[in-house]
Every structure is written in C-alpha cells, then in structure tokens.
Amino acid sequence: MLEKLPDALGHALRERRAGLDRTAFRLVDLRAGMAAIRVHSLAFADHAPIPARYTADGPGLSPPLDWTGVPAAARSLLLIVEDADAPTPQPLVHAIVVELPAADGSFAEGALKSPEHEGDERLRMGRNSYLQVAWLPPDPPPGHGVHRYAFQLFALEAVPAFGHAPGRDAVLDALREHAIASGCLIGTYQRPDGSIALPVRQPAAKRVAP
C-alpha cells in the first residue's frame, strides 16, 4: 500500500515517528529483575535488515521466529509486532498472536496468516492496525528512512479472556496486569529513494574570447 506514496511525502514525514518508547516492550517494562525471553530468527539478526521476502516488496510471508527462556510460572505467551518508526502517534501493529503455549517454541516461515497466505490455523491472532486478523508485511513509505520492526514476546502468569481478535489496547491492558517476562527482536527495513533526485550542478561554462 505505502509503496505507492511519492518519495516527497516520505521525506516530509521523515522526522515524524512513533518511537521505540511507545512500543509494548517499553510501555510494559519488565527488564529490571525479571526473567528475559530470548527471541531469534533464522532470517535476520537483531537490528539487522529483514529480507524483502518477508515484506510488501516480496511474497510478504511472516519470518521464522524461535524463543527460549520462558519462565516456569508462565501460563501463556503473547506476540505483538510493531513498527516503531511509523509516521503515526502510536507504533503500527503488524501482528498480534495470543494464547500461545507457555514453553520455548518457534514459528516456521509463513506461520502467521496474511491476505496472500493461509498460515497456521491453530494460531489465535488479533487485529493489526489495518483491522485485519493477519500478518501485515513491513511496508514503509519510500523516502522515510530506516524503520525498526519490534517482534515482542511476553510471558503471562494467566490466560487472559480476550474477546474475538483483540487489538493493541486490549493486549496492553492484559500485559500490564499479567506479564512476567519479555523478549524483543528488532529487524529493520528501508525502501530506497526512487523518484527524488537532487539536481546536478554543472560547472559554469568558460567564456572564450573571440
């Protein structure tokens, strides 16, 4: 969707970003004195670029993920993926998955349902920011610079009674009440500038005497 926006708009919004401080991982701060979950991906390293295969510029599959270090007191896990650099007041939600088993585990490539892929029907997904119960592939505006996508996994001491397809607000409320551990993997993605080119200044022509 956003790939069709002109580069000029991306440049104009370049300084407008939600910010990492507004992601769930920062809002529900469990890093001090709490267990830490380690989140990894075979597709990219922490703070490294996400391959185009997992974005709107490719097939748009959800990337593979795995996690370890889930505490014994956990009763369920919850995943929320957010774009910390979206030009919006709050981070853009790309996926929510609730009621995951409280154990070390993994997602295969394409496990999350998307408009083009069926995904794993056993997963209970929430709503992304486009109100779809699906994985929303990274799709930053051209010219807006590097975007950071936070794959945030939380361990909860309970299995919250979410309604159908919970959104970000319901997830944050549940995390504030029940989260006991968390982990975060950040992948980056950037669309190169395509249509804005700075004019090349030609040297002044020398005047030749007649």
Side-chain angles (χ1 to χ4, degrees):
M1 296 180 184
L2 299 184
E3 73 275 8
K4 296 181 175 63
L5 292 177
D7 289 5
L9 183 57
H11 276 269
L13 297 173
R14 198 153 191 155
E15 300 305 316
R16 185 173 299 178
R17 296 170 182 265
L20 279 173
D21 286 344
R22 291 190 174 95
T23 61
F25 187 70
R26 296 287 182 88
L27 292 177
V28 185
D29 190 351
L30 301 173
R31 291 167 292 170
M34 302 293 288
I37 301 173
R38 292 170 292 281
V39 185
H40 306 274
S41 177
L42 292 175
F44 58 92
D46 190 33
H47 285 86
I50 299 172
R53 176 175 179 79
Y54 306 109
T55 75
D57 293 324
L61 295 162
S62 62
L65 292 176
D66 64 83
W67 54 89
T68 57
V70 175
R75 293 297 174 264
S76 66
L77 301 180
L78 185 153
L79 175 74
I80 179 170
V81 183
E82 296 179 294
D83 178 2
D85 294 294
T88 50
Q90 303 297 332
L92 197 72
V93 175
H94 283 257
I96 290 173
V97 186
V98 300
E99 297 181 5
L100 289 166
D104 296 353
S106 64
F107 286 153
E109 176 185 88
L112 305 187
K113 175 185 175 183
S114 69
E116 302 296 329
H117 306 95
E118 294 183 358
D120 187 339
E121 295 182 354
R122 296 171 296 178
L123 298 179
R124 185 178 176 202
M125 297 189 66
R127 299 190 311 275
N128 61 37
S129 287
Y130 287 179
L131 303 181
Q132 302 166 332
V133 184
W135 158 253
L136 179 66
D139 188 19
H144 197 250
V146 176
H147 278 221
R148 294 164 293 179
Y149 297 88
F151 293 76
Q152 304 153 99
L153 190 72
F154 292 86
L156 288 73
E157 62 182 356
V159 183
F162 288 114
H164 174 68
R168 186 176 192 263
D169 289 345
V171 162
L172 288 177
D173 287 345
L175 292 178
R176 291 186 178 107
E177 184 174 357
H178 299 295
I180 57 174
S182 63
C184 183
L185 169 70
I186 292 180
T188 65
Y189 193 65
Q190 176 182 14
R191 279 204 173 95
D193 295 357
S195 60
I196 289 184
L198 297 177
V200 178
R201 182 169 294 179
Q202 301 292 338
K206 294 182 179 180
R207 188 174 180 180
V208 179

